[in-house]
Amino acid sequence: MSDCIFCKIANGEIPSNFVYEDENVAAFRDVNPQAPVHVLVIPKKHIASSAEVQDSSVWSTLMNAAVKIARDMGLDKDGYRMVINTGEQGGQSVPHLHLHLLAGRNLGWPPG
Ligand code: 5GP
Ligand code: ZN
């Protein structure tokens, strides 16, 4: 998608420091972090939201990458949260599937 900001980040059109990258996934720090660690993990392929996923392997790819990033960043000791906002009421603001990886403080529950 030519006008999608996360596609531009994934394909290098917008230069970013990836905290992780492989053939299918890119991960980078959120521009407006909500916790000391706030990483966005995205499929490189444009998928508008979790509701639009058709190939179920997207889930294993995304989740395995997020868990690996968390382990590599040493987050598994104190814990972390993975969040996928979907649609308007879910609080999704960027229409390209992304997983939030949050850590580094006690995270409240329930979310606002
Ligand atoms: P959502 O609200 O869709 O679940 O999450 C979108 C996230 O993307 C927000 O946390 C927002 O701060 C982040 N974001 C939006 N635009 C950019 C950008 O250009 N670069 C980065 N690194 N993060 C962005
Ligand atoms: Zn996109």
Side-chain angles (χ1 to χ4, degrees):
M1 280 258 299
S2 57
D3 61 347
C4 170
I5 187 133
F6 285 1
C7 281
K8 288 181 181 174
I9 289 173
N11 69 23
E13 210 175 313
I14 296 175
S16 305
N17 288 321
F18 292 147
V19 301
Y20 175 82
E21 182 182 19
D22 65 26
E23 188 186 347
N24 300 307
V25 170
F28 49 91
R29 291 189 189 270
D30 196 292
V31 73
N32 182 24
Q34 301 301 310
V37 177
H38 188 170
V39 171
L40 300 172
V41 187
I42 69 169
K44 288 186 172 176
K45 177 176 181 280
H46 182 84
I47 301 170
S49 79
S50 69
E52 304 294 325
V53 171
Q54 299 196 345
D55 175 357
S56 63
S57 72
V58 167
W59 293 121
S60 51
T61 302
L62 208 60
M63 297 297 281
N64 284 330
V67 169
K68 177 177 166 41
I69 293 162
R71 194 184 304 127
D72 290 350
M73 293 178 90
L75 306 177
D76 44 344
K77 178 175 167 288
D78 290 335
Y80 56 89
R81 182 173 295 170
M82 299 189 288
V83 175
I84 298 176
N85 297 325
T86 302
E88 194 178 334
Q89 289 199 345
Q92 183 178 6
S93 60
V94 176
H96 179 129
L97 176 62
H98 50 282
L99 181 154
H100 296 258
L101 175 62
L102 298 148
R105 65 172 172 83
N106 288 317
L107 298 163
W109 192 264

